[in-house]
Amino acid sequence: MRRSDRRFTFMLQLGVSAVALFTGTTAYAQDSGDTPAPAASEQEIVVTGTRASLGRALDLKRETVGVVDAISAEDIGKFPDQNVAESLQRITGVSIDRSGGEGRFITVRGFGPEFNTVLLNGRLLATENSGREFSFDILPSELLSAAEVYKSATAEQQDGGIGSTVVLRTARPLDRSGFHFSGSAAMKFDSTRDKASPVVSGILSKTNADDTFGALISINYDKRISRFSNVNTSGWIDGQNLDFDKDGTVDLANVALPRTYNTTVERNSRERIGATLALDWIVSDQLKLQLDALYTQLKVDSWSNQLGFYTDPGDIIDAEADANGTVTHFVRSAGGGLASDNIVFDSPRDAKTYQIGLNAAWTPTDRTSITFDLSHSRAKEGNTSVFYVVGARNAGVNPTFDLNPGALPTITNILPTDDPARAVLHCCSERGGIVKDDITSFRVDGKQDFDGTLKAVRFGAVGTRRKKDITSLLTPDPLGCFYCGYFASADPNLFAVFNDRGVLGGAPMSWLTYDPRALAQYYGSAAAVGQKNDPAAEAAFNAVYAANGHSLAPAFDPRGSGSVRENNAAAYLQAELGGEFGGSREWNAVVGARYVYTDTLANGNSVQLLGITQNPGDPTAGVATFSSPVPVSEKHNYSYILPSATFRVDWTDDLVTRFAFSRTLTRPTLSNLTLSKSYDFRPPQSNTISSGNPGLKPYLAWNADASIDYYLGKASYVSVAGFYKWVDNFISQVTTTETYFGFDFQVTRPENTRKSKVYGFEAAIQYTFDTLPAPLDGLGFSANYTKVKSSTSFDPAIIAGTFSVEGLSDSANAVLFYEKGPVQLRAAYNWRDSFLARTRGLNGQPENVDSYGQYDLSGSFKITPQLAVFGEVVNLTNKHRRTFSRYDERLIQLDDTGRRVAVGVRANF
């Protein structure tokens, strides 16, 4: 049994045993008459549902001195959305990035995922990504009880989040007295496939008779089967000078061409498993212990068939461009330069995350409390993927590309793409990697209460050790590109015909598909290798192929491998003050400072580029050779003081204003701190070298926040907030041109470059129509809008621009709900304006995400007080996600991820 499976099994057994133990204890006590059941009038009434959820979230907003928004579960195990990120996007100022149609990363007030610190029950969670960004899609929403987004900072808060600090909370057993069970079972349907998949979850909790000990365990299983499709260009290559007649005269200067044009169909299966365990023990009036454990696994299996057409500017004989220099039409030479590439690849994902934490709260006196917290979190993702290409030359015809702005691009005047007799070997590789993230943290927090204006003093310290290991795997040379150049015929018996059924409403197309394993075996056969007609190259291939287990399996790649160890220490002191003025008006303030110290150690491998061999049969391919790797390491450290001050004035019981000032930091994302280097040789103008920079300084920001809230009822309010951030040490991918062996390379390295101001405002309203006559008193709605701007905006006309603030976009949400008697309905709309995702993305060009709006519906009906049926539709109108390069017409990718429908039953006892 694997170690992760043993942990999961142990956690389940421990939780079930604890619950069973105290279930049995209580039953025995009741049977013996020691603990009589409380009278009906003494039983606790637990209010649930949408209104109760909104009320609990609003209570946190009322009580907090700073700027915060939250989401609370409607009932135990019932978060508003099936995906945590999709719930968070309902919060004012929060936007999400989607993967496979599901929310994965969050952006808060324009600051992307690496700028937001994510805590589970107050503890830092490891992430399977190579950087700091946390993937919310690994967490089943049924495991959470609340999510809080703190937008202003205080000294006691965990540092690291210029955008926000997100605190996710799981349910606690002592929050509910006695025995409780909540479970649901549903079937999920995806509009892109004709198969249904199950979703099952359950939460079981039990406390002893005097509510001094409680145990809770929750489990979740979620599977989704889907069929995604897209068209993409792999970005654009800029600055091209086209010579139609090949006479040395430029006919079309300084234009941009699509790097390739691909049609892709992906069969995708996502399986998510999650479980939590919580133990609460009130040892005495002075000591309370809490144990928390979490385990999640997200496994994605995907296979894609792709038909691709790679662009070579050298064989274009005619073209047209628009006013932005975007080529909208070009014709290729009939000399057979263009190949129809039949590509098979997969994009697996196997992310495992766990966290365990122990908390001890000691209150030696009524005015003094000290909390100790020890936690460990680990995340790991390991996978290998294949990418195989079999081509077919289009000799004797003039392939023609049309961009068709506003519609799908097309390739015409090509030979049939589904003829196995024309199949020719090209390239293949298997690659992958292992990412491990380990976080161990110990924290001490103290509080001393006082009378008078000084209400309390908080103090504490925390130490955290984090290590990110990245292992790169790659098919060893010369196996990957041995057949580059389309010179070796393939065995027609290896192929079948794949039909895409019409991607994104386009005409149906057919091309070749095959088993990559069978193809890899043919690659190593004498019939294939002998077509090279180069004995020395054939001998080299055969030697490496044999040493690699007669396969193209990936091997350790030292160039892309390395680790970053980061030790962080922090200490803080914070005063809480308050009083009255002008009669009955109240004021509160939190003033403090936090000292942070960080030291980093990056380890990697250094290699030298020794030579480049360009394939004579393919001007867009080549192989580089490198020296043996030499281990290298680099150390750095820094420290800062982060002051903060937050003020709240309660002008009336319903009208509150807040002002907050703070200095915050975000450490460079871990993937930018590595010493690893990656090389890509793809002429023309796609020769790149990318590396990390362990010497990066953290982002530093001075922040100012102001808000005014007017509370209209238990679950109703109106709010307006403004924010201003002065951010220094922005990190940009700086690119310079370097020449190696006669080839120009675009060498990119992250650097601290510029400072910028980010500012904007938020407006929100939430209202329940409780005073309307029945049945209209069940209505309610919420809406919010966020406007974000920067002092350094992106200008597509500036070709050489090296800095722009990425991720900034306006956003809005609207939710209409109805809850009356057994009926609960909700309609939601989420919108995010277009934004710059990366200043230097594919081929060194910008990547933008188009504006996106999505409708979701959900509803439930209670058959009995304990049993309900429910349904949900996500992405009702099947909105497509679109990305583009420097200008809108330069399409990068258009995705169809379909809509999701779930129907099921929920039980509570």
Side-chain angles (χ1 to χ4, degrees):
M1 182 180 290
R2 291 176 299 179
R3 185 180 302 173
S4 59
D5 295 333
R6 290 197 298 269
R7 293 193 200 104
F8 182 55
T9 302
F10 171 74
M11 190 164 59
L12 288 176
Q13 291 173 344
L14 179 61
V16 171
S17 300
V19 173
L21 172 64
F22 285 92
T23 302
T25 302
T26 304
Y28 176 81
Q30 290 174 347
D31 291 343
S32 64
D34 294 337
T35 309
S41 60
E42 297 175 349
Q43 293 182 1
E44 179 185 3
I45 298 175
V46 179
V47 180
T48 62
T50 302
R51 278 175 170 75
S53 169
L54 297 176
R56 288 191 296 270
L58 193 56
D59 286 343
L60 176 68
K61 188 176 183 71
R62 283 176 179 266
E63 296 165 4
T64 302
V65 176
V67 181
V68 63
D69 286 293
I71 296 175
S72 177
E74 297 176 22
D75 200 349
I76 185 171
K78 188 174 185 293
F79 222 56
D81 296 272
Q82 290 186 14
N83 181 289
V84 177
E86 289 167 3
S87 289
L88 287 172
Q89 72 175 333
R90 315 296 179 197
I91 289 179
T92 309
V94 179
S95 303
I96 65 174
D97 294 314
R98 292 175 168 84
S99 172
E102 298 183 18
R104 183 175 180 183
F105 300 121
I106 68 166
T107 293
V108 181
R109 290 177 165 179
F111 286 87
E114 69 271 23
F115 291 95
N116 299 290
T117 299
V118 179
L119 309 174
L120 180 68
N121 297 320
R123 305 173 181 114
L124 194 62
L125 263 173
T127 171
E128 85 286 1
N129 299 295
S130 59
R132 300 184 190 276
E133 57 276 12
F134 181 75
S135 300
F136 284 87
D137 58 353
I138 70 164
L139 284 178
S141 60
E142 291 88 349
L143 304 185
L144 299 184
S145 63
E148 304 158 4
V149 179
Y150 292 86
K151 302 173 186 177
S152 62
T154 60
E156 72 169 323
Q157 282 182 359
Q158 175 75 45
D159 50 77
I162 286 178
S164 70
T165 299
V166 180
V167 180
L168 307 175
R169 302 194 185 276
T170 56
R172 304 226 59 85
L174 290 186
D175 289 344
R176 293 169 178 259
S177 178
F179 173 82
H180 291 277
F181 170 78
S182 175
S184 65
M187 295 301 292
K188 185 181 295 184
F189 304 86
D190 201 289
S191 65
T192 59
R193 291 291 294 271
D194 55 1
K195 293 184 178 180
S197 53
V199 182
V200 181
S201 68
I203 296 182
L204 182 67
S205 70
K206 182 71 176 70
T207 64
N208 62 358
D210 57 0
D211 288 339
T212 59
F213 187 92
L216 179 149
I217 185 169
S218 66
I219 58 173
N220 174 270
Y221 176 81
D222 184 348
K223 188 169 185 177
R224 180 187 177 194
I225 301 173
S226 52
R227 183 180 188 269
F228 305 145
S229 58
N230 68 69
V231 296
N232 75 82
T233 61
S234 301
W236 290 69
I237 49 174
D238 212 347
Q240 299 300 305
N241 297 312
L242 303 182
D243 177 5
F244 300 153
D245 301 323
K246 317 307 174 192
D247 60 359
T249 301
V250 174
D251 296 290
L252 199 58
N254 196 28
V255 295
L257 290 161
R259 174 70 285 181
T260 185
Y261 180 64
N262 306 312
T263 300
T264 309
V265 176
E266 175 187 348
R267 279 86 65 212
N268 187 290
S269 174
R270 293 176 172 231
E271 186 177 53
R272 181 167 46 225
I273 300 171
T276 66
L277 169 67
L279 301 177
D280 290 347
W281 183 18
I282 300 178
V283 182
S284 66
D285 291 340
Q286 288 78 38
L287 180 63
K288 180 178 181 180
L289 301 178
Q290 293 181 332
L291 174 71
D292 295 283
L294 164 84
Y295 175 84
T296 70
Q297 178 177 357
L298 176 62
K299 187 173 183 178
V300 179
D301 293 319
S302 71
W303 279 98
S304 297
N305 287 90
Q306 185 178 89
L307 179 64
F309 302 92
Y310 197 85
T311 301
D312 178 5
D315 76 349
I316 292 177
I317 61 173
D318 189 28
E320 298 173 4
D322 64 13
N324 293 326
T326 304
V327 172
T328 59
H329 166 89
F330 64 79
V331 180
R332 302 285 293 268
S333 167
L338 177 67
S340 302
D341 288 329
N342 305 272
I343 304 167
V344 173
F345 67 93
D346 66 342
S347 304
R349 186 177 169 199
D350 190 3
K352 300 181 179 71
T353 304
Y354 81 82
Q355 184 185 75
I356 187 166
L358 178 64
N359 184 279
W362 180 44
T363 54
T365 71
D366 292 340
R367 291 176 173 268
T368 306
S369 62
I370 301 176
T371 302
F372 304 90
D373 193 274
L374 175 65
S375 65
H376 178 70
S377 181
R378 169 176 287 183
K380 179 182 178 181
E381 180 172 6
N383 63 73
T384 58
S385 61
V386 303
F387 187 87
Y388 287 77
V389 183
V390 174
R393 291 288 193 182
N394 285 275
V397 296
N398 293 108
T400 302
F401 170 85
D402 286 286
L403 182 59
N404 303 322
L408 296 180
T410 56
I411 294 280
T412 55
N413 295 333
I414 57 175
L415 298 177
T417 55
D418 55 4
D419 182 3
R422 298 181 55 241
V424 181
L425 304 181
H426 182 45
C427 75
C428 56
S429 68
E430 299 184 17
R431 63 180 62 213
I434 302 171
V435 177
K436 296 179 182 178
D437 192 15
D438 275 281
I439 301 175
T440 301
S441 182
F442 180 70
R443 179 170 183 148
V444 179
D445 297 280
K447 181 184 178 184
Q448 179 66 48
D449 292 325
F450 300 97
D451 293 326
T453 301
L454 178 61
K455 293 185 174 182
V457 172
R458 293 182 185 268
F459 53 91
V462 60
T464 301
R465 182 185 188 275
R466 184 172 194 171
K467 187 180 181 186
K468 182 83 73 169
D469 289 288
I470 300 175
T471 302
S472 177
L473 305 172
L474 183 65
T475 296
D477 293 331
L479 306 185
C481 207
F482 180 77
Y483 293 99
C484 289
Y486 307 92
F487 64 85
S489 298
D491 181 356
N493 295 318
L494 293 169
F495 305 101
V497 175
F498 176 82
N499 191 292
D500 71 356
R501 304 197 316 231
V503 169
L504 290 158
M509 298 180 66
S510 298
W511 62 89
L512 301 180
T513 186
Y514 43 89
D515 180 355
R517 296 170 186 84
L519 186 67
Q521 291 300 308
Y522 180 75
Y523 266 65
S525 69
V529 176
Q531 297 183 61
K532 184 77 168 180
N533 292 322
D534 185 339
E538 293 169 17
F541 176 93
N542 288 329
V544 177
Y545 186 77
N548 203 47
H550 295 89
S551 74
L552 278 73
F556 174 67
D557 173 27
R559 299 188 301 268
S561 301
S563 68
V564 177
R565 189 270 298 142
E566 185 177 80
N567 289 334
N568 298 312
Y572 71 91
L573 181 65
Q574 178 175 292
E576 299 178 359
L577 306 99
E580 294 185 357
F581 71 99
S584 61
R585 296 170 183 171
E586 295 184 3
W587 65 273
N588 288 275
V590 176
V591 180
R594 185 180 185 91
Y595 171 79
V596 297
Y597 173 82
T598 298
D599 79 71
T600 62
L601 171 64
N603 292 300
N605 299 283
S606 175
V607 298
Q608 287 185 329
L609 185 62
L610 299 180
I612 299 171
T613 303
Q614 188 166 358
N615 193 311
D618 185 357
T620 66
V623 176
T625 56
F626 301 93
S627 67
S628 298
V630 177
V632 291
S633 63
E634 194 170 326
K635 286 185 176 183
H636 294 276
N637 64 76
Y638 51 82
S639 61
Y640 295 95
I641 294 178
L642 308 177
S644 61
T646 306
F647 305 91
R648 187 185 76 189
V649 178
D650 295 44
W651 301 97
T652 68
D653 289 343
D654 301 323
L655 181 63
V656 176
T657 58
R658 291 177 173 85
F659 305 92
F661 306 92
S662 64
R663 193 188 195 198
T664 57
L665 64 75
T666 289
R667 297 174 180 85
T669 192
L670 294 164
S671 55
N672 278 342
L673 293 174
T674 64
L675 283 167
S676 61
K677 275 189 176 183
S678 62
Y679 296 79
D680 189 16
F681 182 70
R682 297 290 291 177
Q685 294 192 359
S686 290
N687 305 319
T688 62
I689 301 175
S690 300
S691 68
N693 180 2
L696 291 172
K697 297 178 181 179
Y699 303 85
L700 291 168
W702 289 100
N703 314 277
D705 292 87
S707 72
I708 180 168
D709 303 328
Y710 187 72
Y711 301 102
L712 305 170
K714 175 64 178 175
S716 302
Y717 76 100
V718 177
S719 176
V720 177
F723 57 91
Y724 207 105
K725 297 177 181 291
W726 295 263
V727 187
D728 202 358
N729 292 341
F730 262 108
I731 296 172
S732 298
Q733 297 294 331
V734 177
T735 300
T736 57
T737 301
E738 297 181 11
T739 302
Y740 296 92
F741 304 100
F743 295 94
D744 287 340
F745 280 77
Q746 300 298 306
V747 181
T748 301
R749 172 183 165 97
E751 300 282 358
N752 293 109
T753 55
R754 295 276 300 276
K755 59 181 65 178
S756 182
K757 302 178 182 68
V758 178
Y759 50 91
F761 72 88
E762 302 170 341
I765 181 171
Q766 181 174 289
Y767 194 77
T768 58
F769 295 92
D770 302 326
T771 59
L772 291 180
L776 298 179
D777 55 343
L779 282 170
F781 79 94
S782 65
N784 60 67
Y785 174 78
T786 303
K787 180 76 174 179
V788 184
K789 296 197 71 176
S790 167
S791 60
T792 51
S793 58
F794 172 68
D795 184 353
I798 301 177
I799 303 297
T802 60
F803 173 74
S804 294
V805 180
E806 301 169 350
L808 297 184
S809 65
D810 302 340
S811 61
N813 291 276
V815 177
L816 176 66
F817 63 88
Y818 180 83
E819 186 179 46
K820 184 73 174 179
V823 177
Q824 185 184 78
L825 300 170
R826 187 183 71 154
Y829 177 72
N830 172 259
W831 171 82
R832 184 179 184 182
D833 203 0
S834 59
F835 64 94
L836 175 68
R838 291 197 291 173
T839 307
R840 300 191 66 86
L842 294 169
N843 308 301
Q845 294 297 298
E847 292 184 34
N848 292 276
V849 178
D850 212 346
S851 59
Y852 183 92
Q854 178 173 302
Y855 294 92
D856 302 325
L857 298 176
S858 63
S860 66
F861 182 84
K862 284 189 175 181
I863 301 174
T864 71
Q866 291 78 35
L867 189 65
V869 293
F870 65 89
E872 181 180 58
V873 182
V874 179
N875 194 14
L876 176 67
T877 60
N878 191 21
K879 176 68 174 180
H880 299 154
R881 182 179 183 271
R882 181 179 181 273
T883 59
F884 61 95
S885 185
R886 188 175 297 276
Y887 297 101
D888 183 80
E889 73 272 13
R890 295 185 187 177
L891 172 72
I892 295 178
Q893 185 158 307
L894 182 63
D895 287 297
D896 179 6
T897 54
R899 69 178 61 84
R900 308 195 304 272
V901 179
V903 293
V905 60
R906 177 182 297 277
N908 291 277
F909 301 99

